[in-house]
Amino acid sequence: MPHFPMDSPDSVRSLPARRSVLGAMAATAASPTLLGLSSPASAASAAPVAQPRALPGGGDLGPNVIVFDPSTSGIQAKLDEVFRQQESAQFGTGRYALLFKPGTYNGLNAQLGFYTSIAGLGLSPDDTAINGDVTVDAGWFNGNATQNFWRSAENLALTPVSGTNRWAVAQAAPFRRMHVRGGLNLAPTGYGWASGGYIADSRIDGSVGPYSQQQWYTRDSSVGGWANAVWNMVFSGVQGAPAQSFPNPPYTTLDTTPVSREKPFLYLNGSEYRVFLPERRTNARGTTWGSGTARGTSLPLTQFYVARPGVTAATLNAALTQGLHLLLTPGIYHLDQPIQVDRAGTVVLGLGYATLIPDNGVTALRTADVDGVRLAGFLIDAGPVNSSTLLEVGPTGASASHSANPTTVQDVFIRIGGAGAGKATTSMVINSRHTIVDHTWVWRADHGTGVGWETNRADYGIHVNGDDVLATGLFVEHFNKYDVQWYGQRGRTIFFQNEKAYDAPNQAAIQNGNVKGYAAYKVADSVTTHEGWGLGSYCYYNVDPTIVQHNGFAAPNTPGVKFHDLLVVSLGGQGQYEHVVNETGAPTSGTSTVPSTVVSYP
C-alpha cells in the first residue's frame, strides 16, 4: 500500500493520506389492545375463532442496552469490558448501546469500539454531564483511524479531562446533539491517517482540530473555532464556521441548512422511556437545544414494539400493522420478507447499530408514499443471495408532496460484503418526494471477508427518483458502476464523499460505453434543476493502477444544474482522473495525491 508520512499536525495541511489506503389495519394510536390484551373473537362469526393475541408495546430493552445512573457502581469497569470486546471487532456480531440517565458522572473515559453507541437519556445534552471523555482512537490499527467505522455519541455534555476530547473516526460514526465543554480533536494519537466524518446539532465550546482528517461535514451546530482543512471541509448552518474559501483552504460554508429535522432519540421522563421527535426546521442554523427545551413531540415507549434479535419479519410487520412503531434493540435480525412501513409518521429507530440482514434476496425495508416516516440508527448488511434493492423509500412512481412532513433517513448505513459475501444490485432507492437523507454511508466493502469484484457485486449505491430530495452528509463508496444516480428534479446534496472501487481488474471492467469509467455522481440527462456543494471523489485502482477514470461527476450542461466546490483525487497515483466534472477540470497526475478542483460549474 502507498505510504504517506505524517509527522505532525502541521504536515497534514499539505500531505494527507487515505484509509488503509487502504391489507393493513387503519393507523391507530396505542390502545389496550395494542398493549397486549387479547382481541375479542368476531361476534359475527357463526363459530367463534380465537384471534391472535396483539403484540405488546414497550418492555425491556434487552441485555445489550446497558443503562447507568450516577449511583451505579463499576461504570468504568463495564465501559472497559465492552471496549475490550469491541475495539477491533470490525466485522463481529456484538452490538451495544450504553445509556446514561440524567445526572453528573465524574472521572470516566468511555472508549468506543465497533458497533457501540453512547447516549444520554435527557431531553437536553446538558442534562447528562460527564466530567471525562468519550474517546475514539486507533491503537488497535497502529494509529490509523481510517477504519474506525460504526460507532456513535449522542446527547451528552462532556468536560474533557485534558480540555480536549478525542474523536478520531471514519465513516458511519455520527457525533450528534453533543456539548463539548472544551475542544474536539478529530485525529488519532500521533496524527495518523483519518477519514471521517459527521457532526450535527452539537456545540463545541473550544476549537475543533481536524488535523489529518481528509474530509468532514458539520451541520446545524456551533463551534469555537476550526483549526485546519485537508481536502474537503463542509459546513451548513454552523455558528463559528470558517468563511467560504474553497479550494485554499478547502472550506465550503453555507449560512444555513435549507431543511433539516434531527434524529429521533430515546429519553427518560421521570422513570418512563419516551422517544422524542424533533420538529422540522427550514433555513436552520445552530443547535435545536441551545436556548431551552428542544421543539418537537414525543411518544411513550408503549407505542413501540421493542424488538429483540431472533424476531421474525412477519412479527415486525404485524406490529406495524397494529399501529406500533419499531425500536430495534442491539443485535442482528435476519429477514425473510421486507419490513413494510405503510403508516404515515412511523418511526423505525435502531439502538447500538441493530443490523438487518435480508435473506434469499429480499429487500430489507420498504416504505409507502406517506408523510413523515423516520428511519434512523440501523445498519443493513446485504445477504449472500443478490437483492435487487436493500432499502426503498416510497414505491416506484411515488409522486405525493411531503414538503411539510418529509421522510427522513438518518444514520442508516448499508454494507455489501466485509462481514461475509453479500450482493445487491442497488443499495438504496429514494422514490418519495422531499425525502431527507441525513448522514448515510453506503459501502461496498473493499476489505474484510467476502470481498472481490464479483464476490460482493453491487453495481449501484444510491438511486434517486423522487423530486425535491435533499442529502446532507452523503458517503457512498466502491460500487461496480455508478455510486450515485440522480433522476429526480430539484435535488440537492450538501457534502459528498466517494471512492471508486479499488478492485476493478482492468480498464475494460469499468468501461461505460465510450466513457472511461462510471462517474461517482451522475445526474441524469433529463434533469433540469439540481445543485451540490462540497463534493469529492477519490480513486485508488490498486489492482490495475493504469486505469483511467474520465471524471468524478457527470451531469447535463444546463444552467439549472449547478455544482460548487468539487474535487477529485488520485491516491498515490493508483489510477487517474481525466477531468473533475464532464469535460471540465484538470486531470490528476503523478503520485502526489493532490486534488484537482472546480469551484463552480457550469
Side-chain angles (χ1 to χ4, degrees), residues 64 66 78-98 111-117 140 147-151 330 352-353:
N64 287 359
I66 302 169
K78 187 62 179 179
L79 296 174
D80 292 344
E81 176 190 342
V82 172
F83 178 64
R84 282 192 298 270
Q85 178 179 319
Q86 299 301 115
E87 180 183 11
S88 58
Q90 182 172 179
F91 299 110
T93 58
R95 304 286 188 274
Y96 291 92
L98 310 174
Q111 300 181 81
L112 300 188
F114 287 97
Y115 314 108
T116 305
S117 298
W140 75 278
Q147 291 183 23
N148 281 346
F149 314 136
W150 305 307
R151 63 202 76 198
Y353 286 82

Side-chain angles (χ1 to χ4, degrees), residues 377-577:
F378 55 89
L379 171 65
I380 300 174
D381 208 352
V385 178
N386 185 73
S387 294
S388 60
T389 59
L390 294 172
L391 174 65
E392 295 180 16
V393 180
T396 301
S399 60
S401 173
H402 306 293
S403 59
N405 191 7
T407 286
T408 45
V409 181
Q410 299 177 286
D411 300 346
V412 173
F413 308 117
I414 295 178
R415 178 173 69 195
I416 303 95
K423 294 185 178 183
T425 304
T426 306
S427 291
M428 184 185 297
V429 179
I430 308 295
N431 292 316
S432 286
R433 292 181 61 193
H434 300 101
T435 298
I436 301 171
V437 181
D438 176 45
H439 190 226
T440 190
W441 185 39
V442 182
W443 185 57
R444 175 182 169 267
D446 61 276
H447 63 271
T449 60
V451 171
W453 185 248
E454 297 295 342
T455 305
N456 63 327
R457 183 82 193 187
D459 282 353
Y460 308 109
I462 295 182
H463 190 117
V464 180
N465 294 315
D467 294 340
D468 307 291
V469 171
L470 171 65
T472 51
L474 192 60
F475 299 75
V476 189
E477 297 190 296
H478 304 309
F479 285 85
N480 295 76
K481 293 184 178 179
Y482 289 117
D483 299 276
V484 174
Q485 295 172 284
W486 209 296
Y487 289 85
Q489 297 288 353
R490 298 176 299 280
R492 291 173 292 184
T493 296
I494 305 173
F495 182 89
F496 172 67
Q497 187 264 327
N498 165 263
E499 283 183 346
K500 296 304 299 173
Y502 290 177
D503 56 345
N506 49 50
Q507 187 76 46
I510 64 162
Q511 194 69 15
N512 181 16
N514 295 324
V515 179
K516 299 173 185 174
Y518 292 80
Y521 189 106
K522 165 68 173 174
V523 180
D525 292 344
S526 58
V527 171
T528 57
T529 307
H530 187 92
E531 197 158 10
W533 297 262
L535 315 182
S537 177
Y538 321 147
C539 74
Y540 182 71
Y541 288 117
N542 62 327
V543 175
D544 181 358
T546 68
I547 290 175
V548 175
Q549 177 81 26
H550 183 66
N551 51 31
F553 305 90
N557 188 359
T558 183
V561 177
K562 303 174 184 178
F563 292 105
H564 316 273
D565 302 355
L566 302 176
L567 68 147
V568 296
V569 183
S570 169
L571 304 174
Q574 305 294 292
Q576 301 291 345
Y577 291 89

Side-chain angles (χ1 to χ4, degrees), residues 217-270:
Y217 175 51
T218 307
R219 178 181 63 71
D220 299 353
S221 294
S222 172
V223 299
W226 196 272
N228 72 288
V230 175
W231 291 340
N232 191 28
M233 299 288 164
V234 180
F235 309 84
S236 68
V238 178
Q239 297 165 340
Q244 169 72 32
S245 58
F246 188 92
N248 188 26
Y251 294 133
T252 298
T253 302
L254 287 72
D255 266 357
T256 62
T257 304
V259 187
S260 61
R261 188 175 68 193
E262 299 304 329
K263 180 183 174 183
F265 62 91
L266 192 68
Y267 75 102
L268 277 171
N269 179 30

Side-chain angles (χ1 to χ4, degrees), residues 335 337-339 358-359 361-366 387-392:
L335 308 173
Q337 61 180 268
I339 298 171
D359 294 329
V362 303
T363 297
L365 190 149
R366 292 185 174 123
S387 294
S388 60
T389 59
L390 294 172
L391 174 65
E392 295 180 16

Side-chain angles (χ1 to χ4, degrees), residues 319-391:
L320 291 167
T321 298
Q322 284 179 206
L324 293 171
H325 307 275
L326 296 183
L327 185 74
L328 305 173
T329 64
I332 295 174
Y333 298 74
H334 281 269
L335 308 173
D336 61 359
Q337 61 180 268
I339 298 171
Q340 184 66 47
V341 179
D342 289 329
R343 190 179 73 257
T346 299
V347 180
V348 180
L349 176 61
L351 301 179
Y353 286 82
T355 301
L356 308 178
I357 302 179
D359 294 329
N360 302 316
V362 303
T363 297
L365 190 149
R366 292 185 174 123
T367 77
D369 191 24
V370 293
D371 273 358
V373 172
R374 303 180 195 231
L375 309 177
F378 55 89
L379 171 65
I380 300 174
D381 208 352
V385 178
N386 185 73
S387 294
S388 60
T389 59
L390 294 172
L391 174 65

